[in-house]
Amino acid sequence: MGHDHHTHHHSVKNIKIAFFVNLAFTVFEIIGGIYVNSIAIISDAIHDLGDSISLGTSWFLEKKSKQQADDEYTFGYARFSLLGALINSVILIAGSVYVISEAIGRIIEPEHSNATGMLIFAIIGVVVNGYAAWKLSKGSSMNEKVVSWHLIEDVLGWTAILIASIILQFKDIPYLDPALSLFITLFILYNVFKRLRETLIIFLQKTPANLNPAVIKHKLQEVDNVHSLHNVHVWSLDGEKHVFTAHIKLKNIDSFEQYLDVKISLKKILEPHHFKHVTLELELDEETCSFN
């Protein structure tokens, strides 16, 4: 429990740091982008403004997700973190679409940029965003993973601007800046869609990829005095905390001690899977289950 609390506190702290770093850097980018006339920097600044809003939302929702269960949310608030991941993905996609449209416009009608100014801003951009991305790189929640893609996108975007600014020091290629911006954004969009798919799958309560219900059911079925299983459900609250429920029909139960032994055996089989919530409905021979 102490480890869980430490992990939860760590994830909230990481997103909080990412929020303040991103917000401060957004203001810096807007000023810098206008000063050096770089569409890559200006579009990234607009994108980062959306990032700051979604990071603030993520910070709030990640903190909210750590609240204990109550009568309103009996499974707890873990899914608020998942909601943060969903909001982040949608904002990131919307921002990427804007960046792509701006970059295409600049390729069609190229404009000259201040290469030296771009170089200075790019170095600062890589360092600042690289630090924030590193802080979130080992996050385990889906929210942290999606937020880290915001920051990785920024690092890659600034790396592209850095490369472009170095080339522009020697040769004037006005479409290089928007072309690199376009390439990086398309790469990030691919990964964001993957994360969005994972988030939606969890919302739809698909069985977690690291669990095999058929294998679990087979092991439970092998326990002495177990006749059959039905109403077996395996799903995840937020991608980390999984839930298992099942109705188990027993046979040849002659004493309460025997009943307890079966229950203990069933729970031992489930222990290695580290389910956050387990509910086992044990039914005796003469019982008729209305949920078959």
Side-chain angles (χ1 to χ4, degrees):
M1 189 70 184
H3 174 73
D4 284 349
H5 177 75
H6 175 74
T7 303
H8 294 164
H9 175 72
H10 210 64
S11 65
V12 172
K13 185 181 176 183
N14 285 344
I15 293 176
K16 178 182 175 181
I17 290 170
F19 167 70
F20 282 112
V21 167
N22 203 271
L23 184 62
F25 200 69
T26 298
V27 177
F28 175 74
E29 275 183 297
I30 292 171
I31 297 168
I34 294 170
Y35 178 74
V36 302
N37 191 34
S38 167
I39 184 59
I41 294 178
I42 293 171
S43 60
D44 199 61
I46 300 299
H47 196 140
D48 272 359
L49 186 60
D51 282 359
S52 294
I53 295 168
S54 62
L55 282 166
T57 306
S58 290
W59 176 21
F60 169 75
L61 292 174
E62 190 74 21
K63 196 171 181 179
K64 185 78 173 173
S65 73
K66 311 314 173 192
Q67 285 184 213
Q68 296 299 312
D70 55 30
D71 288 341
E72 283 192 275
Y73 293 89
T74 56
F75 270 109
Y77 289 76
R79 287 203 148 199
F80 277 74
S81 174
L82 205 60
L83 179 61
L86 181 63
I87 292 171
N88 264 289
S89 296
V90 172
I91 290 176
L92 195 51
I93 290 169
S96 296
V97 170
Y98 172 80
V99 171
I100 289 169
S101 66
E102 288 295 310
I104 291 172
R106 276 290 180 98
I107 290 172
I108 296 171
E109 296 181 21
E111 291 185 24
H112 295 281
S113 303
N114 182 331
T116 304
M118 282 176 65
L119 180 64
I120 294 168
F121 278 99
I123 292 170
I124 297 170
V126 170
V127 172
V128 173
N129 286 284
Y131 168 76
W134 173 73
K135 288 294 290 182
L136 278 165
S137 62
K138 294 180 181 178
S140 56
S141 74
M142 187 60 68
N143 199 5
E144 283 179 284
K145 289 175 184 176
V146 173
V147 168
S148 72
W149 270 109
H150 280 269
L151 300 168
I152 290 169
E153 177 190 29
D154 289 336
V155 173
L156 291 174
W158 281 109
T159 302
I161 293 169
L162 180 62
I163 294 167
S165 64
I166 293 171
I167 294 172
L168 289 172
Q169 297 285 335
F170 304 99
K171 192 166 184 180
D172 186 22
I173 310 173
Y175 61 80
L176 184 60
D177 173 37
L180 277 170
S181 178
L182 188 63
F183 174 76
I184 293 296
T185 303
L186 289 172
F187 170 72
I188 290 297
L189 264 181
Y190 167 74
N191 286 286
V192 170
F193 274 116
K194 278 173 63 178
R195 292 297 183 194
L196 179 59
R197 180 177 175 274
E198 289 176 25
T199 302
L200 292 175
I201 281 173
I202 296 170
F203 267 122
L204 294 171
Q205 298 185 327
K206 183 180 179 182
T207 301
N210 62 332
L211 295 173
N212 188 331
V215 172
I216 296 173
K217 284 192 280 187
H218 178 71
K219 288 181 179 178
L220 294 174
Q221 185 80 53
E222 288 185 326
V223 173
D224 289 340
N225 301 104
V226 170
H227 177 266
S228 61
L229 285 79
H230 57 276
N231 257 27
V232 178
H233 301 290
V234 185
W235 53 284
S236 183
L237 283 172
D238 62 355
E240 295 180 280
K241 304 176 187 71
H242 305 325
V243 180
F244 181 89
T245 65
H247 285 223
I248 301 174
K249 189 82 170 178
L250 305 181
K251 61 183 179 182
N252 304 325
I253 298 294
D254 300 318
S255 65
F256 184 65
E257 287 73 18
Q258 197 176 15
Y259 175 89
L260 288 178
D261 286 342
V262 173
K263 195 173 183 179
I264 291 168
S265 298
L266 293 170
K267 287 185 175 181
K268 278 185 179 178
I269 291 171
L270 296 174
E271 270 178 17
H273 300 290
H274 304 291
F275 288 110
K276 181 69 176 178
H277 299 279
V278 173
T279 303
L280 299 178
E281 176 75 14
L282 304 185
E283 300 164 1
L284 300 176
D285 291 346
E286 60 273 15
E287 285 187 78
T288 302
C289 180
S290 58
F291 297 103
N292 280 327

